[in-house]
Amino acid sequence: MKSYIYTHTGSLDETENQGIAYQARKELHKALRKILVTSAKIFRSPFSGPFSTVDVEDHECSVWLLLRQSREDCREARLQAVQDLSQAHHWHDYQYRVVAQAADLRTLIGLARSKETDLRFFLPPPPLPALKEDSSLEEELRQLLSLLPQTELDECAQYFTSLALSESGQSLAAQKGGLWCFGGNGLPYAESFGEVPSATVEMFCLEAIIRHSEIPTHCDQIEANGGLQLLQRLYQMHRNCPKVQRNILRIVGNMALNERLHGAIAGSGWVSILAEAMKSPHIMEASHAARSLANLDRETVQEKYQDGVYVLHPQYRSSQPIKADVLFIHGLMGAAFKTWRQQDPEQMAPQVWEDEASYTTCWPKSWLAADCPALRIISVEYDTSLSDWRARCPMDRKSIAFRSSELLNKLRAAGVGDRPVIWVSHSMGGLLVKKMLLEASNKPELRAVTDNTRGIIFYSVPHHGSHLAEYSVNVRYLLFPSLEVKELRKDSPALKTLHDDFLEFARDRKFQVLNFVETLPTYIGSMIKLHVVPPESANLGIGDLILVDVNHLDICKPKEKDAFLYQRTLQFIRDTLAKDLEN
């Protein structure tokens, strides 16, 4: 092991070497020499050997002892060493740097996933290679895409790749004209026919690379062609653009699913970036970083979290035993985080939204995790659209059956079914839950998911169809309803079959059911006022049915922690899992 000491150069004039600065420099050099001697002896000697001959202070020994312990064959010893390192808060800067340089990858990832870890344990990322002469970041991204294989790609990956490689930023923005729908609320709303958010080539490149990163062999090519460094440059340039950063973290998280790339990810400096992002006050940024680090952490995590599967709790390593899972499944045009935010007060200053203490952007993360720390809380995200006109990918026409199968496989890879489960769903998400449970019950390798399901909460789920589908079909010349919307029609054969099959399945099971339903209409833009899911459609036929005086968007967004919506949800979870949480 080599160690380097960098000091400022001093004057050779002896008359200048008699002051306090000179004496301090001498003492510093003596201390550093002592540390180097200690480290050499410790790493050459057995861990249990005596250190009485080492002339060094006790607190200096602890650094190297913990480093040695972190490399022990005994897993429990390694975990204890990481925990002890993470609790070191009063060391000198150089001691943190010693660990940063000497620790192995397993230890650094463990520190990144420890809540109290000092960020000085992580070295800054290495310098990035310079861009090629007369080349821009946009051109570098295009070059990376052009070098990736075109095999095994679905239609949407081909679509985004084609756009990124062949179109200019201006033409992309022009293509995105027309009716623009905003997601994240459970339903979109129309802003206008003329105002269009700016779309950039960079964003389309990232969309394409995300799709490529879902294919293991393509991840190898992304790394081999300098993709990790290029993505890091883009991440640093867009510190004020959370959406760009989240997409980049999605790619890194996908690549981290491949253990052979862990060394490359760490070597390019991503562990330090992820460790810092984990401490972000913004739940979405922290959760994306947490997913990437969990996929890197093979010491304490057996599960693998594929794209769109986010653990909201616990995001750090913890001694708290996890006894059950609660899964959150959003609905049409929803999102893994924003669907489950606190209800937006009408008069709220924008800066208040940044303060999780007074307003939470994700109540399962902020409230439920604190009230039930023994739960693993997972939220999933998948793309949906109200209209084929506004779909992010025009080729992405997926049925409820297709999406449920896709989600079920991702959740099983995340270990869902290994412990008791409660499902929490909003709108179309409830239909996906029903379809997933039916599919799992028919496949022996997935049957653990149904066997361990203890309960389901439905927030305004259109078991018998939605007025939204009827409205959209009647004005198809305006909205061009997507496949998901068409499946929500009241006369949909698929919806009726799903309902009948699920009732028959549920009657043979002992899980609990709780149904919430809206009583107020929802405003979609300034022109449309609609009661999206009436009580008769939200009535599953089993379990309690509770009417709440809110609209479709707010049925899953409590006003505050003491509000009935949250407290009744919390009560259901605690009562349903009472025996499991006691064990």
Short mmCIF file of all heavy atoms in Angstrom, two decimals, residues 331-355:
data_model
loop_
_atom_site.label_atom_id
_atom_site.label_comp_id
_atom_site.label_asym_id
_atom_site.label_seq_id
_atom_site.Cartn_x
_atom_site.Cartn_y
_atom_site.Cartn_z
N GLY A 331 -51.92 5.40 -10.29
CA GLY A 331 -52.87 5.17 -11.37
C GLY A 331 -52.50 5.86 -12.66
O GLY A 331 -51.33 6.20 -12.90
N LEU A 332 -53.50 6.10 -13.48
CA LEU A 332 -53.31 6.69 -14.80
C LEU A 332 -52.66 8.06 -14.69
O LEU A 332 -53.14 8.94 -13.98
CB LEU A 332 -54.67 6.82 -15.50
CG LEU A 332 -54.69 7.27 -16.95
CD1 LEU A 332 -54.00 6.26 -17.84
CD2 LEU A 332 -56.13 7.48 -17.41
N MET A 333 -51.52 8.22 -15.38
CA MET A 333 -50.74 9.46 -15.38
C MET A 333 -50.23 9.83 -13.99
O MET A 333 -49.95 10.98 -13.70
CB MET A 333 -51.57 10.62 -15.96
CG MET A 333 -51.86 10.47 -17.43
SD MET A 333 -50.39 10.35 -18.46
CE MET A 333 -49.75 12.01 -18.33
N GLY A 334 -50.09 8.83 -13.12
CA GLY A 334 -49.57 9.08 -11.79
C GLY A 334 -48.06 8.97 -11.75
O GLY A 334 -47.39 8.88 -12.78
N ALA A 335 -47.50 8.95 -10.54
CA ALA A 335 -46.05 8.86 -10.37
C ALA A 335 -45.75 8.25 -9.01
O ALA A 335 -46.58 8.29 -8.10
CB ALA A 335 -45.40 10.23 -10.49
N ALA A 336 -44.55 7.70 -8.88
CA ALA A 336 -44.18 6.96 -7.67
C ALA A 336 -44.12 7.85 -6.44
O ALA A 336 -44.28 7.36 -5.31
CB ALA A 336 -42.83 6.27 -7.87
N PHE A 337 -43.92 9.15 -6.63
CA PHE A 337 -43.77 10.04 -5.49
C PHE A 337 -44.91 11.05 -5.41
O PHE A 337 -45.59 11.17 -4.39
CB PHE A 337 -42.43 10.77 -5.56
CG PHE A 337 -41.26 9.84 -5.66
CD1 PHE A 337 -40.70 9.53 -6.89
CD2 PHE A 337 -40.73 9.24 -4.53
CE1 PHE A 337 -39.63 8.65 -6.98
CE2 PHE A 337 -39.66 8.36 -4.61
CZ PHE A 337 -39.12 8.06 -5.84
N LYS A 338 -45.15 11.77 -6.50
CA LYS A 338 -46.10 12.89 -6.45
C LYS A 338 -47.55 12.45 -6.24
O LYS A 338 -48.35 13.19 -5.69
CB LYS A 338 -45.98 13.72 -7.72
CG LYS A 338 -44.68 14.52 -7.78
CD LYS A 338 -44.66 15.46 -8.97
CE LYS A 338 -43.39 16.31 -8.97
NZ LYS A 338 -43.34 17.25 -10.11
N THR A 339 -47.90 11.25 -6.70
CA THR A 339 -49.25 10.76 -6.45
C THR A 339 -49.54 10.69 -4.96
O THR A 339 -50.66 10.93 -4.52
CB THR A 339 -49.44 9.37 -7.08
OG1 THR A 339 -49.48 9.51 -8.50
CG2 THR A 339 -50.74 8.71 -6.62
N TRP A 340 -48.50 10.40 -4.17
CA TRP A 340 -48.68 10.17 -2.74
C TRP A 340 -48.21 11.35 -1.91
O TRP A 340 -47.79 11.19 -0.77
CB TRP A 340 -47.92 8.90 -2.35
CG TRP A 340 -48.23 7.76 -3.26
CD1 TRP A 340 -47.43 7.24 -4.24
CD2 TRP A 340 -49.45 7.01 -3.32
NE1 TRP A 340 -48.07 6.21 -4.89
CE2 TRP A 340 -49.31 6.05 -4.36
CE3 TRP A 340 -50.65 7.05 -2.60
CZ2 TRP A 340 -50.32 5.15 -4.68
CZ3 TRP A 340 -51.67 6.16 -2.93
CH2 TRP A 340 -51.49 5.22 -3.95
N ARG A 341 -48.28 12.55 -2.47
CA ARG A 341 -47.89 13.73 -1.70
C ARG A 341 -49.05 14.21 -0.84
O ARG A 341 -50.20 13.78 -0.99
CB ARG A 341 -47.44 14.86 -2.63
CG ARG A 341 -48.55 15.48 -3.47
CD ARG A 341 -47.97 16.54 -4.40
NE ARG A 341 -49.00 17.25 -5.16
CZ ARG A 341 -49.47 16.86 -6.32
NH1 ARG A 341 -49.02 15.74 -6.87
NH2 ARG A 341 -50.39 17.57 -6.95
N GLN A 342 -48.73 15.09 0.06
CA GLN A 342 -49.75 15.74 0.88
C GLN A 342 -50.59 16.64 0.00
O GLN A 342 -50.11 17.19 -0.99
CB GLN A 342 -49.06 16.55 1.98
CG GLN A 342 -49.97 17.19 3.00
CD GLN A 342 -49.16 17.88 4.10
OE1 GLN A 342 -47.95 17.71 4.19
NE2 GLN A 342 -49.83 18.67 4.93
N GLN A 343 -51.87 16.77 0.34
CA GLN A 343 -52.75 17.60 -0.48
C GLN A 343 -52.22 19.03 -0.54
O GLN A 343 -51.79 19.59 0.47
CB GLN A 343 -54.17 17.60 0.10
CG GLN A 343 -55.18 18.35 -0.75
CD GLN A 343 -56.60 18.22 -0.21
OE1 GLN A 343 -56.95 17.20 0.37
NE2 GLN A 343 -57.40 19.24 -0.38
N ASP A 344 -52.25 19.61 -1.73
CA ASP A 344 -51.70 20.96 -1.94
C ASP A 344 -52.65 22.01 -1.37
O ASP A 344 -53.78 22.13 -1.84
CB ASP A 344 -51.49 21.24 -3.43
CG ASP A 344 -50.64 20.18 -4.10
OD1 ASP A 344 -49.81 19.58 -3.40
OD2 ASP A 344 -50.81 19.97 -5.31
N PRO A 345 -52.22 22.78 -0.37
CA PRO A 345 -53.03 23.91 0.09
C PRO A 345 -53.20 24.92 -1.04
O PRO A 345 -52.30 25.09 -1.88
CB PRO A 345 -52.23 24.49 1.24
CG PRO A 345 -51.33 23.37 1.68
CD PRO A 345 -51.00 22.62 0.43
N GLU A 346 -54.34 25.58 -1.07
CA GLU A 346 -54.60 26.52 -2.17
C GLU A 346 -53.64 27.70 -2.15
O GLU A 346 -53.19 28.15 -3.18
CB GLU A 346 -56.05 27.02 -2.07
CG GLU A 346 -57.08 25.93 -2.31
CD GLU A 346 -58.50 26.46 -2.26
OE1 GLU A 346 -58.65 27.69 -2.09
OE2 GLU A 346 -59.43 25.67 -2.38
N GLN A 347 -53.33 28.20 -0.97
CA GLN A 347 -52.42 29.33 -0.87
C GLN A 347 -51.13 28.87 -0.19
O GLN A 347 -51.04 28.82 1.02
CB GLN A 347 -53.06 30.48 -0.06
CG GLN A 347 -54.38 30.96 -0.63
CD GLN A 347 -54.21 31.59 -2.00
OE1 GLN A 347 -53.18 32.19 -2.28
NE2 GLN A 347 -55.22 31.47 -2.84
N MET A 348 -50.17 28.46 -0.98
CA MET A 348 -48.90 27.99 -0.41
C MET A 348 -47.74 28.63 -1.14
O MET A 348 -47.67 28.56 -2.37
CB MET A 348 -48.80 26.47 -0.49
CG MET A 348 -47.47 25.94 0.03
SD MET A 348 -47.29 24.16 -0.18
CE MET A 348 -48.39 23.57 1.08
N ALA A 349 -46.85 29.24 -0.39
CA ALA A 349 -45.65 29.81 -1.01
C ALA A 349 -44.78 28.68 -1.54
O ALA A 349 -44.66 27.63 -0.91
CB ALA A 349 -44.87 30.63 0.03
N PRO A 350 -44.17 28.86 -2.72
CA PRO A 350 -43.36 27.80 -3.31
C PRO A 350 -42.27 27.27 -2.39
O PRO A 350 -41.97 26.08 -2.39
CB PRO A 350 -42.76 28.47 -4.55
CG PRO A 350 -43.72 29.57 -4.89
CD PRO A 350 -44.24 30.05 -3.57
N GLN A 351 -41.66 28.16 -1.55
CA GLN A 351 -40.58 27.69 -0.71
C GLN A 351 -41.06 26.71 0.34
O GLN A 351 -40.29 25.90 0.84
CB GLN A 351 -39.86 28.87 -0.04
CG GLN A 351 -40.73 29.76 0.84
CD GLN A 351 -41.31 30.92 0.06
OE1 GLN A 351 -41.44 30.85 -1.15
NE2 GLN A 351 -41.64 32.00 0.77
N VAL A 352 -42.35 26.75 0.70
CA VAL A 352 -42.87 25.83 1.70
C VAL A 352 -42.82 24.40 1.17
O VAL A 352 -42.66 23.44 1.92
CB VAL A 352 -44.31 26.22 2.10
CG1 VAL A 352 -44.90 25.21 3.09
CG2 VAL A 352 -44.31 27.61 2.71
N TRP A 353 -42.97 24.25 -0.14
CA TRP A 353 -42.94 22.92 -0.75
C TRP A 353 -41.60 22.24 -0.56
O TRP A 353 -41.50 21.02 -0.67
CB TRP A 353 -43.25 23.03 -2.25
CG TRP A 353 -44.65 23.40 -2.55
CD1 TRP A 353 -45.42 24.35 -1.92
CD2 TRP A 353 -45.49 22.84 -3.55
NE1 TRP A 353 -46.65 24.40 -2.48
CE2 TRP A 353 -46.73 23.50 -3.50
CE3 TRP A 353 -45.29 21.84 -4.51
CZ2 TRP A 353 -47.78 23.19 -4.35
CZ3 TRP A 353 -46.33 21.53 -5.36
CH2 TRP A 353 -47.57 22.20 -5.28
N GLU A 354 -40.56 23.02 -0.29
CA GLU A 354 -39.23 22.46 -0.12
C GLU A 354 -38.99 22.00 1.31
O GLU A 354 -37.97 21.39 1.61
CB GLU A 354 -38.17 23.51 -0.50
CG GLU A 354 -38.35 24.11 -1.88
CD GLU A 354 -38.21 23.07 -2.98
OE1 GLU A 354 -37.36 22.18 -2.83
OE2 GLU A 354 -38.95 23.14 -3.97
N ASP A 355 -39.93 22.29 2.22
CA ASP A 355 -39.75 21.99 3.63
C ASP A 355 -40.59 20.78 4.00
O ASP A 355 -41.80 20.88 4.17
CB ASP A 355 -40.14 23.20 4.47
CG ASP A 355 -39.97 22.94 5.96
OD1 ASP A 355 -39.33 21.93 6.31
OD2 ASP A 355 -40.47 23.76 6.77
#
